[in-house]
Amino acid sequence: MSPPLPVITPELLLRAYEIGLFPMAEDAGDPTIYWVEPERRGVIPLDAVHVPARLARTVRAERFRIAVDLDFEGVIAGCASVGGSKRQRTWINARIRSLYGELFAGGHCHTIEAYEGETLVGGLYGVSLGAVFFGESMFSRARDASKVALVHLVALLRRGRYALLDTQFVTPHLATFGAVEMQRPAYLRRLARAVAMRPAEDAWAKDRLETGAAALRRIANNE
């Protein structure tokens, strides 16, 4: 008989990220969690981010109100939602929602949110460890909402002295921002260096979010 698998705790989850693993479930109704370690890992080089011109105009126009860490439950619920032509199933089950909620409470999980008025219309969440941000999922209920959130995330990470933005995989959407694939050995070496680094202590301070124009300048000038 095989020994029982260890109970996944927030501490074990962080250790998994540190060595290049991340969790997924088959779908929302499956309580099982399994570990993923891709042969090729997606990353967005923080010094080579591309913001398409049309999206830059939307960011500059301040169409959305951007916030940090205001509504974790709303963001992860949006990321886990299914329906329509784009998403028929989700890998976010109840246990994953609970684990990331615990990471959020402990300051290791963060959200970037996009609002129209008081309505949450898009955003993303991910895990912060050392100077690495592991992007987990994003959602959008209004055109470009999640993309604008991603632009603000990149600016926040640059200002906060992060060294690595992990995207797990490269999708056509992320490729437009400059996402590339790294072979596992090269990724693990870069991951080890970045995890050992310390970002700015106020990187996720809610009162330090920049305007859209300032975020775009930071990205364009590699500040």
Side-chain angles (χ1 to χ4, degrees):
M1 180 183 247
S2 300
L5 292 174
V7 175
I8 299 177
T9 63
E11 293 75 22
L12 180 61
L13 187 52
L14 290 176
R15 176 57 183 151
Y17 276 106
E18 191 175 351
I19 61 174
L21 306 175
F22 58 87
M24 295 187 77
E26 286 294 339
D27 58 54
D30 185 348
T32 306
I33 295 176
Y34 61 91
W35 298 111
V36 181
E37 187 181 20
E39 287 292 335
R40 291 203 249 271
R41 194 71 170 243
V43 302
I44 295 180
L46 288 170
D47 59 354
V49 177
H50 171 69
V51 181
R54 186 189 64 79
L55 178 60
R57 289 194 292 272
T58 301
V59 173
R60 198 173 287 110
E62 305 283 356
R63 175 182 166 191
F64 304 106
R65 177 173 62 87
I66 304 300
V68 170
D69 290 345
L70 285 186
D71 188 1
F72 169 79
E73 290 297 333
V75 171
I76 200 166
C79 291
S81 62
V82 296
S85 60
K86 292 186 178 180
R87 185 177 292 171
Q88 299 299 325
R89 60 190 300 181
T90 177
W91 55 267
I92 301 173
N93 65 10
R95 182 60 184 140
I96 285 177
R97 291 177 71 157
S98 175
L99 279 168
Y100 286 93
E102 292 180 74
L103 290 183
F104 180 78
H108 282 289
C109 184
H110 295 283
T111 61
I112 302 283
E113 301 142 27
Y115 293 86
E116 286 185 334
E118 298 302 313
T119 303
L120 178 66
V121 294
L124 57 86
Y125 79 96
V127 173
S128 177
L129 187 62
V132 186
F133 188 80
F134 303 87
E136 281 297 312
S137 188
M138 58 202 309
F139 81 101
S140 187
R141 298 190 185 111
R143 183 178 180 180
D144 291 337
S146 62
K147 295 178 183 179
V148 172
L150 180 56
V151 170
H152 279 273
L153 171 68
V154 170
L156 183 154
L157 297 179
R158 288 199 56 80
R159 188 197 67 209
R161 301 199 300 272
Y162 277 73
L164 181 60
L165 172 52
D166 177 288
T167 67
Q168 299 178 347
F169 304 103
V170 174
T171 65
H173 165 224
L174 294 174
T176 64
F177 285 88
V180 297
E181 290 183 331
M182 297 184 68
Q183 295 287 343
R184 183 191 295 166
Y187 169 79
L188 291 177
R189 289 192 294 270
R190 186 168 175 187
L191 174 65
R193 291 194 298 270
V195 165
M197 298 168 65
R198 293 176 63 88
E201 291 185 4
D202 62 350
W204 293 93
K206 294 180 175 64
D207 61 351
R208 294 206 58 199
L209 265 179
E210 298 177 305
T211 65
L216 291 169
R217 282 196 301 273
R218 185 175 294 280
I219 292 170
N221 297 333
N222 285 328
E223 297 175 351

